Structure formats: C-alpha cells, structure tokens
C-alpha cells in the first residue's frame, strides 16, 4: 500500500512531443528555420533573433510598460484596476488569501460587477491550494459566483494526483505533486505579469517582481490562453461543486493520465501555433516598436517544455563580455541550468537568492522547516562545482536579506556586450527549479527592448533588490537529515 501511495511521487510519465515546430538548439545558435522568421531591426540584437522562432512575438512601445517595485504598489494598482474595469478581469494565481486585504480586492471586484453588468470575471487557481482549509480561496470567491453568471472560478487539478494518493495524501502534501503556479493578472487591455500570489504577504512585505503592460493584442492573447487552461480545469458552480468544463470530458484524477495530458497539450500547442503564425506577419509589418514581448510557458506534466528550452538557449547563447543577472526565490536550479551556466555561458553572472532568514519556509512546521537549509546545501554544491570547473571567478552568488521581509523575486536581466542597461529580461512565475520544469504550470515573458526609459526602469528594479543583498554564505551548517533527503526530494520544492 505504501508503495502504491508514493508511486506518483517517484515517477511521472508525461507524453513525449515537440511543443512548437522550432525548438532552440542547446548551443545558443540560430535554429535552422530562423531564416523564415522575423528578425530584430537592430543589428545589435542579432544574437537574439532566435526568439522569433520559438514564441509568438508581440511588438509594443516601451512607453506602455511600467515596472512596479514594491508589493504595496502592486496591490493598490491591482485593486484600482479591478475597481475600474470596463470589460474583463482575469486573475491567474496559485491561490487567493483570506485576509482583509484579499477581501478588499474581492469587494472591489464585487462592487464593480454590481454596477457594470457587462463585466466578466474569470479566476484560475490551483485546486489543492485553493481549497485547503475550511476557509479558503474558493469560499472567499463564492459570493461572486452565487450572485452572477458573469463570474467563473476555475481550479486546475494536476492529473498526477489520483487514486490512493489523492485519497490519503493530506493537505499541503498533496500540493507536492503539481500545481497551477502561473501569475497573470489581466484587466481590460492591461496585463500584469508577476511571480506574486494574491495574498497578504505578497501585498506587504514579500519582495517580488511586477511588470505592467498596456497592449490590447497581448491582453487578448493571454485572455484566450487562460480560457484554454480553464477548459481542462475544474469549473466551480454556484453550489460550490467542482465540475468538468463544458468543453472537456475527462476528469484529471479519473481518466487515463496520458489521455488527459495529451489532449490538454494539443489544445495549448494548437493555440500557440495559430498565434505564432499570425504574429509573424504583424512583426514583419511593424516598423515603429522598440520593445518585443515573447510569451513562454512550461507545463511539464502535460508534456510542454517551452520556457525551459528558451531559458537554456538564452543562458548558453550569452555573448562574451555580456552580463547576466539571475534571481530566484528558491535556489534549486535544474542540473541542466547549472551545467549550462558552468560550461556554456560566457557572460559575467550574478545569481541572487534568498538568505535563509528571507525564505518563506523559515520556521515552517515539520519537514518543510528544513527547506531553507536544503537550498543552502544546493547553493554550496553549485559553488563547489564552479570552483572545480574554474568558473568561480565568473559567477557570483548573492543573498537577499531585509529585516521583516521575505524574498520571492525571480527572473533575469541580460546586458549585451558594452551595455550598462538591460537589453532583455525574463519575468514570471518560474523559479528555474526542478518543480518549475517538471511539475507546475508556469508562465514567463521574455522582454527585449531598445527603449532607454524602459531599460532604466529595469535597472532601477534590479538595483532596488540588490540594495538588500550581500555575498552568499555557502558554508553554513546543514542538518544531517536534510543532507540525507535533499537528493531524493529535490524535484518537489
């Protein structure tokens, strides 16, 4: 029985298949099909032309993009946007908290719905996290569902959680198998892409990143993308019962896992390919934009490896004399990323992670309390790997520590040779770890820009985080039990 209970914790078998026609090569060169793809007008961005072959491109004006630096401003912006929404609100997050700030956000949406009958509201959360406890995300949102047909709550349920594991795995533990982790917030034609969830800490004293983009085309893309994810998620009705979406016929925990994953993957892939074809012609005709947005997603349990391939290609394709600043709230980089940074990346690298005192798991009950030490151990091993490879002079490790704050920011800033400001950034939900690649639903954007004002904003964002950072301590003691289990369970945190 125990073996059956933990069988899904040992191995998952997502379907094998290519997500988009042109996958980036591992050496950072141009894909074979790049000649048929659009290219950046500036020769300075030539080394990044491969991005056009791996993702739809949305050309925009950098003046329509803002970088939010503080969680309180993120919260105030989100509330104000939702209170004034005219047509649509779409919120995708791991969960919605149950405190006063979260209630105020829901009240703002509720009040807007009462006076604007044309407003549609869609919320996508994770099933296990969103229903944890007697009071939870679902119960917080039920007043909206009970009052209007214009509100839809969708809960993504991983197809891996099934059978005896689903019956016996307790709350929190069942979240280890896979979750909806994307953080996408749409209001009318505004898109906020972040790594922040919708809960008190992320609105007050948990450092994250937040990019706000005003663009109808990009907003429509993400609205339709989220609708596709809603199709294979469970729909909560007015009674609180989670049922199948009207356009889906397979329960994630009862149907064959391979059938569920294959159909979900095909719907997402078909959508992306259609958008990619349409955006190619738009990019060909565009002559005025100074910023380009490339949406990236990762859904490992559904057989979609997209963001991880693009990220690997970006790391391996860094030019000599370039700079790379990488941040993650949880230092658990995949072996592929660590190997790429060590062996293939030519950039001067700075990697920023949470100090144990700024780790959200600090002080947690049970085994979770050992997670900060596990991250420290992984960082120590990576530092040793860099030294053994003779690359420790090129890669610097930093830790974020700020009294009363936790750290959750992730992404990267890339500087082409000779540039003092970022030319590219990755921002979204991925922590660049094993979970992000193999278990959870993730969404990032790759933003390339020549807009000086936006570049300065991105630099200010990084500097704001960096001011609370110092050289990483890689020799702190790690409990023996953490050393014993970190390798076995690394795929789960």
């Amino acid at each position: 029985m125990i073996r059956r209970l933990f069988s899904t914790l040992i191995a998952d078998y997502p379907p094998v298949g290519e997500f988009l026609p042109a996958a980036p090569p591992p050496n950072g060169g141009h894909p074979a099909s790049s000649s048929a793809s659009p290219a950046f007008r500036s020769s300075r961005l030539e080394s990044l032309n491969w991005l056009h072959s791996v993702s739809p491109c949305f050309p925009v004006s950098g003046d329509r993009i803002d970088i939010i630096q503080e969680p309180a401003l993120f919260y105030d912006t989100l509330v104000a946007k939702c209170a004034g929404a005219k047509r649509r609100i779409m919120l995708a997050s791991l969960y919605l908290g149950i405190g006063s700030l979260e209630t105020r956000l829901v009240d703002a949406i509720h009040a807007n719905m009462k006076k604007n009958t044309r407003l549609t509201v869609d919320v996508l959360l994770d099933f296990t996290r969103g229903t944890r406890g007697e009071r939870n995300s679902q119960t917080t949102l039920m007043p909206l569902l009970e009052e209007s047909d214009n509100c839809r709550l969708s809960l993504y349920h991983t197809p891996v959680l099934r059978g005896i594991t689903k019956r016996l795995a307790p709350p929190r533990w069942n979240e280890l198998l896979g979750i909806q982790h994307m953080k996408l917030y749409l209001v009318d034609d505004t898109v906020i892409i972040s790594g922040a969830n919708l809960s008190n800490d992320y609105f007050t004293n948990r450092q994250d990143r937040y990019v706000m983009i005003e663009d109808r085309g990009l907003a429509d893309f993400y609205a339709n993308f989220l609708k596709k994810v809603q199709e294979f998620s469970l729909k909560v009705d007015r009674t609180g019962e989670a049922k199948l979406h009207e356009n889906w016929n397979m329960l994630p925990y009862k149907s064959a896992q391979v059938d569920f994953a294959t159909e979900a993957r095909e719907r997402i892939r078909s959508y992306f390919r259609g958008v990619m074809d349409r955006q190619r012609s738009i990019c060909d005709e565009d002559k005025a934009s100074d910023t380009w947005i490339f949406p990236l997603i990762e859904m490992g349990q559904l057989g979609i490896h997209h963001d991880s391939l693009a990220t690997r290609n970006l790391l391996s394709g860094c030019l000599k004399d370039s700079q790379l600043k990488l941040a993650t709230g949880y230092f658990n980089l995949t072996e592929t990323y660590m190997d790429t940074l060590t062996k293939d990346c030519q950039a001067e690298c700075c990697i920023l992670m949470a100090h144990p005192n700024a780790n959200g798991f600090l002080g947690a009950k049970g085994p979770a309390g050992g997670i900060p030490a596990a991250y420290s151990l992984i960082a120590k091993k990576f530092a040793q790997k860099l030294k053994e490879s003779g690359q420790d002079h090129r890669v610097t490790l930093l830790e974020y520590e700020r009294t009363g704050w936790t750290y959750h920011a992730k992404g990267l800033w890339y500087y082409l040779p000779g540039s003092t400001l970022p030319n590219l950034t990755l921002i979204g939900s991925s922590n660049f770890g094993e979970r992000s690649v193999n278990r959870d639903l993730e969404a990032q954007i790759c933003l390339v820009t020549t807009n000086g004002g936006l570049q300065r904003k991105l630099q200010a964002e990084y500097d704001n985080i960096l001011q609370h950072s110092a050289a990483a301590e890689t020799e702190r003691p790690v409990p023996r039990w953490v050393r014993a289990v970190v390798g076995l369970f690394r795929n789960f945190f």
Side-chain angles (χ1 to χ4, degrees):
M1 177 179 290
I2 293 178
R3 181 176 181 179
R4 288 177 59 201
L5 174 62
F6 287 100
S7 62
T8 52
L9 300 180
I10 298 171
D12 302 324
Y13 300 97
V16 176
E18 193 176 63
F19 178 56
L20 289 175
N27 63 359
H30 298 279
S33 62
S34 63
S35 60
S37 300
F40 295 111
R41 294 188 304 275
S42 171
S43 59
R44 182 159 171 72
L45 301 177
E46 183 180 2
S47 63
L48 302 172
N49 279 340
W50 60 269
L51 284 164
H52 290 278
S53 295
V54 300
S55 173
C57 176
F58 292 83
V60 301
S61 167
D63 294 337
R64 304 283 290 171
I65 300 175
D66 200 10
I67 309 298
I68 301 172
Q69 293 191 16
E70 298 295 334
L73 182 56
F74 163 61
Y75 174 74
D76 291 341
T77 301
L78 194 58
V79 171
K81 290 286 185 182
C82 289
K86 303 299 183 184
R87 296 179 291 110
R88 64 186 173 192
I89 297 173
M90 301 189 78
L91 308 176
S93 185
L94 172 60
Y95 69 103
L96 171 73
I98 58 175
S100 60
L101 293 178
E102 299 92 320
T103 300
R104 181 186 160 205
L105 173 61
V106 173
D107 288 346
I109 297 172
H110 198 175
N112 195 351
M113 292 179 67
K114 288 181 178 180
K115 66 183 181 182
N116 182 2
T117 57
R118 295 179 301 171
L119 180 65
T120 61
V121 177
D122 290 85
V123 181
L124 171 66
L125 305 173
D126 180 68
F127 179 88
T128 52
R129 183 62 182 89
T131 58
R132 185 208 295 175
E134 188 173 339
R135 290 183 61 223
N136 52 50
S137 305
Q138 179 177 321
T139 60
T140 302
L141 290 165
M142 283 308 297
L144 276 65
L145 291 174
E146 294 166 352
E147 187 168 307
S148 174
D149 291 332
N150 286 352
C151 181
R152 180 190 293 262
L153 172 60
S154 301
L155 301 175
Y156 171 78
H157 188 297
T158 172
V160 176
L161 181 61
R162 55 180 54 236
I164 192 172
T165 307
K166 179 174 174 62
R167 292 195 300 272
L168 298 183
R172 297 181 187 269
W173 287 90
N174 58 11
E175 297 165 29
L176 291 173
L177 274 70
I179 53 175
Q180 191 308 100
H181 197 246
M182 300 184 294
K183 286 70 184 276
L184 299 167
Y185 308 118
L186 282 67
V187 181
D188 293 335
D189 296 334
T190 300
V191 182
I192 299 178
I193 301 191
S194 179
N197 290 303
L198 299 174
S199 68
N200 180 80
D201 289 356
Y202 295 90
F203 297 151
T204 54
N205 61 348
R206 190 159 172 76
Q207 183 64 59
D208 216 302
R209 299 181 67 203
Y210 333 82
V211 170
M212 183 167 66
I213 306 166
E214 303 279 354
D215 184 75
R216 177 67 177 268
L218 186 66
D220 287 346
F221 164 79
Y222 274 116
N224 291 323
F225 165 65
L226 290 176
K227 288 178 181 177
K228 290 295 180 184
V229 179
Q230 285 179 304
E231 289 181 7
F232 52 84
S233 300
L234 299 173
K235 174 185 174 183
V236 179
D237 65 17
R238 287 188 172 189
T239 68
E241 184 179 355
K243 299 180 177 180
L244 287 173
H245 187 280
E246 54 269 22
N247 294 332
W248 192 262
N249 61 8
M250 290 180 283
L251 283 170
Y253 48 86
K254 286 189 176 180
S255 61
Q257 183 179 337
V258 66
D259 292 342
F260 181 97
T262 300
E263 177 62 22
R265 184 193 68 208
E266 186 54 38
R267 293 195 186 191
I268 297 295
R269 179 168 59 176
S270 177
Y271 174 66
F272 257 73
R273 285 181 169 178
V275 174
M276 196 165 179
D277 290 340
R278 184 181 71 245
Q279 290 301 124
R280 275 199 178 109
S281 61
I282 293 176
C283 287
D284 283 337
E285 297 170 3
D286 176 70
K287 304 300 180 185
S289 298
D290 56 20
T291 303
W292 299 267
I293 307 292
F294 299 88
L296 304 171
I297 62 169
E298 193 83 359
M299 300 178 173
Q301 292 182 341
L302 304 182
I304 296 175
H305 293 288
H306 178 224
D307 174 65
S308 60
L309 294 177
T311 300
R312 178 187 175 190
N313 201 58
L314 179 60
L315 297 178
S316 64
C318 288
L319 301 177
K320 182 177 174 57
D321 298 323
S322 64
Q323 296 180 63
L324 182 74
K325 319 288 188 182
L326 188 147
T328 176
Y330 309 115
F331 189 84
N332 186 19
L333 301 184
T334 67
E335 290 294 337
T336 296
Y337 290 158
M338 287 196 282
D339 285 345
T340 302
L341 284 167
T342 304
K343 301 175 183 177
D344 303 322
C345 183
Q346 298 186 67
E348 292 291 323
C349 298
C350 182
I351 301 178
L352 177 60
M353 67 195 85
H355 185 282
N357 291 337
N359 191 295
F361 289 98
L362 183 69
K365 296 180 180 178
I371 290 178
Y375 291 133
S376 293
L377 178 61
I378 295 170
K380 178 180 180 179
K381 291 182 176 180
F382 181 55
Q384 291 173 339
K385 182 174 185 176
L386 290 170
K387 187 173 182 178
E388 292 168 359
S389 303
Q391 295 296 311
D392 53 322
H393 68 285
R394 188 179 56 82
V395 182
T396 303
L397 303 183
L398 300 176
E399 290 178 330
Y400 177 101
E401 184 178 19
R402 183 179 180 184
T403 303
W405 285 60
T406 55
Y407 178 77
H408 200 249
K410 51 262 199 173
L412 64 79
W413 300 255
Y414 177 55
Y415 306 67
L416 288 166
S419 179
T420 59
L421 297 172
N423 303 99
L424 176 153
T425 190
L426 286 185
I427 179 172
S429 62
S430 175
N431 285 297
F432 306 112
E434 298 289 344
R435 279 199 68 104
S436 296
V437 173
N438 297 312
R439 296 199 169 275
D440 301 337
L441 305 191
E442 306 282 10
Q444 287 202 106
I445 60 166
C446 178
L447 182 156
V448 179
T449 187
T450 59
N451 182 294
L454 179 55
Q455 289 179 286
R456 286 188 288 274
K457 290 178 182 178
L458 289 168
Q459 184 62 46
E461 175 197 35
Y462 180 74
D463 290 341
N464 180 57
I465 298 173
L466 190 65
Q467 68 176 318
H468 302 289
S469 305
E473 171 56 66
T474 58
E475 296 298 330
R476 60 176 57 95
V478 176
R480 287 185 178 180
W481 72 268
V482 173
R483 292 177 178 273
V485 303
V486 68
L488 180 62
F489 290 98
R490 186 177 171 186
N491 187 246
F492 298 94
F493 60 85

